[in-house]
Amino acid sequence: MRKECRCLLKELSDEDYFRNIYEYIALIPQEQKTPDGEYTARLENCKSCSNLTNGMCRLCGCFVETRAAKVHQYCPKGIW
């Protein structure tokens, strides 16, 4: 069992386990992808949120890195 942390998937120790998530993000068409600076800002906001647990949002159940990667997605808490 993993210890709960307010971290992103890429910060967890077993990154190979999440390889398919990063492959999914890489395959998002460019016109649907969040610009790099905005993506980074979204993830920083997620990292400061108490609803982030082990890379997942407790409000909606998403992996925040995938949700933040798509330009037309939004935070269920409204922080981005």
Side-chain angles (χ1 to χ4, degrees), residues 54-68:
N54 298 332
M56 293 183 74
C57 174
R58 290 189 292 178
L59 295 176
C60 68
C62 76
F63 288 111
V64 298
E65 285 152 295
T66 59
R67 188 178 198 99

Side-chain angles (χ1 to χ4, degrees), residues 17 22 39-40 68 75:
Y17 181 78
Y22 297 115
Y39 179 68
T40 300
C75 167

Side-chain angles (χ1 to χ4, degrees), residues 23-40:
E23 290 171 359
Y24 167 81
I25 292 170
L27 293 173
I28 296 171
Q30 198 60 39
E31 65 273 6
Q32 295 177 19
K33 205 173 249 188
T34 304
D36 290 341
E38 184 178 345
Y39 179 68
T40 300

Side-chain angles (χ1 to χ4, degrees), residues 13-20:
S13 60
D14 191 6
E15 194 169 315
D16 283 342
Y17 181 78
F18 304 108
R19 183 179 322 123
N20 60 344

